[in-house]
Amino acid sequence: MATNLQAPTPGVEDIPIDCKVNSTVKNNWNCCQLQVYCAKIDEVDDQVRRKTFDDRPEDYDELRDDGNGAARNFRTAWNRAAANGTIASQDQDAVKKMFYADCAYDEARGNSFQMT
């Protein structure tokens, strides 16, 4: 993991992330969890480069609660669709794009697309 904690200057600096299972701070993570983590960091870096983010608003905590509720609703709807076979019957190339790493898609498919 990089020790430089300063955010990169958009479009100028990248903070290298050491994505190796042996050096992760979460020693119980498997390789796939680490791949997803690193892919999410790459996405945040891309957002910084594209400047598609805003400063944290004053009502952040309320918005975070709303976001958590929306995530809960999405998870419920996803699991309902997974249980009735809707996700498995969709174009799997499109479904696969919903995952940060191929291994996460493979794990989800192996679990009948149920989220925990």
Side-chain angles (χ1 to χ4, degrees), residues 60-81:
Y60 172 81
D61 290 336
E62 182 179 321
L63 293 170
R64 179 70 267 158
D65 288 342
D66 291 346
N68 289 344
R72 214 173 8 261
N73 292 341
F74 175 85
R75 195 169 35 254
T76 298
W78 176 279
N79 284 337
R80 188 178 307 118

Side-chain angles (χ1 to χ4, degrees), residues 33-114:
Q33 289 168 315
L34 191 55
Q35 287 178 31
V36 170
Y37 172 75
C38 290
K40 288 180 180 184
I41 289 174
D42 286 344
E43 174 61 26
V44 170
D45 284 346
D46 287 346
Q47 288 176 18
V48 169
R49 279 189 285 281
R50 291 188 314 262
K51 297 182 181 182
T52 58
F53 59 92
D54 294 318
D55 292 333
R56 183 178 282 195
E58 289 183 22
D59 58 346
Y60 172 81
D61 290 336
E62 182 179 321
L63 293 170
R64 179 70 267 158
D65 288 342
D66 291 346
N68 289 344
R72 214 173 8 261
N73 292 341
F74 175 85
R75 195 169 35 254
T76 298
W78 176 279
N79 284 337
R80 188 178 307 118
N84 69 27
T86 301
I87 296 172
S89 68
Q90 297 296 314
D91 172 13
Q92 290 305 294
D93 287 336
V95 174
K96 194 172 191 175
K97 290 177 183 175
M98 297 177 178
F99 293 85
Y100 279 97
D102 290 347
C103 61
Y105 167 80
D106 294 339
E107 286 181 4
R109 188 180 61 193
N111 193 31
S112 300
F113 294 105
Q114 288 295 310

